[in-house]
Amino acid sequence: MGGHWKRDLNVSTDGSLHLNELIGLHLATALALVVSFWRDWIRVIRGLSTSVTQWRIQAVDQRLARLIIMATIPVGVAGIALDKLFRTTLGRPVPTAIFLALDGIVLFITEQLRRGGTGRRRAGGVPVWI
């Protein structure tokens, strides 16, 4: 892609509205997840409130609430510390596409390992992706 698309999709250039579009997309996705999983969010919020008031973890929802908070902190710190890198490098389409493809491969391999083993079918020993 060239022309104005190349300029508009680069969030590090002046006048690019692509960052606003990305923020709007992420907010809409978050809202859709909250609407879709509102019962789960209520359980997590209750778990967090009881975990804080009792100052111990007894239930699964309490543990999940604390794990969500603990996982959010490093991501927030990395986002603030590496903001310029994210805007200049990952703000362009090609590095972002490469990063997302590698991320997809890691998620696929992790899911195969989570399911129990090497990712091979039990009957024939053929890899799942073939």
Side-chain angles (χ1 to χ4, degrees):
M1 293 189 300
H4 71 89
W5 285 100
K6 186 174 183 179
R7 177 183 48 85
D8 292 343
L9 291 177
N10 187 352
V11 296
S12 63
T13 60
D14 291 332
S16 174
L17 296 177
H18 188 60
L19 183 60
N20 295 339
E21 294 169 3
L22 287 175
I23 291 170
L25 177 68
H26 283 85
L27 286 175
T29 303
L31 180 63
L33 288 172
V34 168
V35 168
S36 296
F37 298 104
W38 66 274
R39 289 182 188 96
D40 296 328
W41 280 109
I42 289 174
R43 283 186 21 236
V44 168
I45 291 169
R46 280 189 190 140
L48 179 63
S49 65
T50 58
S51 170
V52 169
T53 57
Q54 297 173 359
W55 201 246
R56 61 179 179 239
I57 300 173
Q58 292 177 325
V60 174
D61 296 334
Q62 293 172 333
R63 179 168 159 59
L64 178 61
R66 290 209 178 179
L67 286 174
I68 289 172
I69 291 172
M70 294 303 292
T72 303
I73 292 170
V75 172
V77 170
I80 291 169
L82 301 172
D83 179 54
K84 183 172 171 106
L85 174 72
F86 290 152
R87 285 180 187 251
T88 57
T89 303
L90 294 178
R92 297 183 311 224
V94 173
T96 302
I98 293 170
F99 176 77
L100 288 173
L102 291 174
D103 189 40
I105 292 168
V106 168
L107 288 173
F108 178 77
I109 291 170
T110 304
E111 182 65 20
Q112 295 303 314
L113 292 174
R114 186 192 68 82
R115 288 185 179 178
T118 62
R120 298 182 184 276
R121 295 183 189 189
R122 300 200 191 280
V126 179
V128 172
W129 57 87
I130 293 180

